[in-house]
Amino acid sequence: MKRRDLEKKLRVAGCYLKREGASHSIWINPKTGITETVPRHTEVKGNLAKKILKSLGAD
C-alpha cells in the first residue's frame, strides 16, 4: 500500500500526525489515545498496513 493512501485512510478515521521522526511518523487516534508508528517509506507492506489500520481503528 502506498504511504499516502495509508495516511489518507488514517485521516478519514479521525487520526492525526503527532510528530515526524527520523525513520517513522507517529500517528494518534484521539478517541482512543492509541499511537502507532508508520514507516517513512513510499511503500508500506500489506500486512503492516493492515496492522496499523486495525490498531488505530481505521479498518
Side-chain angles (χ1 to χ4, degrees):
M1 175 180 284
K2 295 284 185 189
R3 179 186 160 116
R4 67 175 173 254
D5 296 334
L6 177 62
E7 290 177 348
K8 187 183 295 184
K9 287 184 179 188
L10 291 173
R11 283 191 191 95
V12 167
C15 301
Y16 66 90
L17 179 66
K18 185 174 181 181
R19 68 179 177 87
E20 289 282 348
S23 60
H24 290 82
S25 302
I26 310 297
W27 284 78
I28 186 168
N29 184 335
K31 297 174 191 169
T32 61
I34 295 174
T35 60
E36 190 68 49
T37 58
V38 178
R40 295 182 66 187
H41 303 288
T42 55
E43 189 74 29
V44 178
K45 297 202 179 214
N47 289 337
L48 179 59
K50 287 179 186 178
K51 183 234 179 234
I52 292 168
L53 291 171
K54 185 176 180 181
S55 175
L56 290 174
D59 54 345

